[in-house]
Amino acid sequence: MILFNRGILLIVIGNALVHGAEQYISSGLAAIMAAMVPLWMAAFSVLLFKSVKLNRLMITGLVLGFVGIVAIFSDSLDEFTNPKYTIGIIAMVAASIGWALGSVYSSLKKIEVNPIYGAGVQMLTAGIISIFIGLGIGERMNPLEMPMNGVWAVLYLAIIGSIVTYNAYMYALSKLSPTRVSIYAYINPVVAVLLGWLILDEKLNLLIGISIMITLLGVYLVNRGFSPRMIKNQESLEQPVSATDTV
């Protein structure tokens, strides 16, 4: 059941709801909402791990990181006032909570199983559930009519987004605390801005540059504020679950 629960929280809720949300809101606004993940992870870590305590450096870093992300996508902030985006915003908040809770749950419920096998089971079960959800809400697709851009996007997401990065994420959760792993949520939008500037000739001005520096400062403070003793104490409290109880 552990792998099943991970798949529900991380993939069905954490990923599928993002796809649904972006039918109503822009990707920039979605990135801002996704930057709430470290805040939720920190909250769940404090609630579920007795050894994890927030300190001033960590709180300052989390706040600075979020402020930096908001500044990067400041052009999208006016969308918050549009009532049409309410569904998308709610979906993104739910997705952030699901991903954060799934990450903390994965760290809390460590299992003695090959990480690649574990991630594969999670993606398989979550994929089957997502198919039935899609069919239930009336989604239909003819693979023969899919444009080549869509084909390449699916292949990229399947290989890079799933096989490579999801396995890497689960491995990171097995070695590091959820709060420290959560700093990826600040790095991803920064990388997106830089790649957009290099490849798509998107805007990169002084405000965005300063915002990126604020974001990186927040990441640095979170790392400095997280005591290695927290990880050691956390690991000493965790007992890996046997493989027979994982699915």
Side-chain angles (χ1 to χ4, degrees), residues 97-149:
I97 293 174
W99 186 267
L101 181 57
S103 299
V104 175
Y105 176 82
S106 297
S107 183
L108 179 65
K109 298 291 186 178
K110 292 185 176 181
I111 53 179
E112 295 178 337
V113 66
N114 184 288
I116 296 178
Y117 167 80
V121 171
Q122 293 171 53
M123 288 186 281
L124 176 62
T125 56
I128 294 173
I129 293 172
S130 297
I131 288 174
F132 282 104
I133 292 175
L135 293 175
I137 62 177
E139 290 187 351
R140 299 291 187 275
M141 183 195 69
N142 185 352
L144 298 178
E145 297 178 355
M146 182 183 294
M148 284 306 301
N149 286 344

Side-chain angles (χ1 to χ4, degrees), residues 153-243:
V154 170
L155 289 175
Y156 175 83
L157 291 173
I159 298 173
I160 304 299
S162 297
I163 297 176
V164 177
T165 57
Y166 190 74
N167 278 295
Y169 185 75
M170 298 310 299
Y171 178 81
L173 282 176
S174 70
K175 301 297 181 181
L176 302 172
S177 72
T179 303
R180 178 168 289 183
V181 174
S182 72
I183 63 176
Y184 86 92
Y186 293 150
I187 299 298
N188 282 359
V190 174
V191 173
V193 169
L194 293 176
L195 288 179
W197 173 62
L198 290 172
I199 299 174
L200 301 176
D201 197 28
E202 293 181 347
K203 179 175 64 176
L204 179 59
N205 52 33
L206 180 61
L207 173 62
I208 294 177
I210 294 175
S211 302
I212 291 174
M213 296 304 296
I214 293 174
T215 300
L216 295 179
L217 175 61
V219 172
Y220 173 77
L221 291 178
V222 170
N223 275 282
R224 284 296 302 270
F226 200 95
S227 170
R229 182 181 300 177
M230 294 182 187
I231 301 176
K232 184 176 180 180
N233 291 340
Q234 175 181 319
E235 290 177 346
S236 66
L237 294 173
E238 296 168 357
Q239 296 296 328
V241 180
S242 99

Side-chain angles (χ1 to χ4, degrees), residues 3 11 16 40 68 72 78 83 99 118 124 202 226:
L3 294 178
I11 302 177
W40 292 116
I72 288 174
D78 58 342
W99 186 267
L124 176 62
E202 293 181 347
F226 200 95

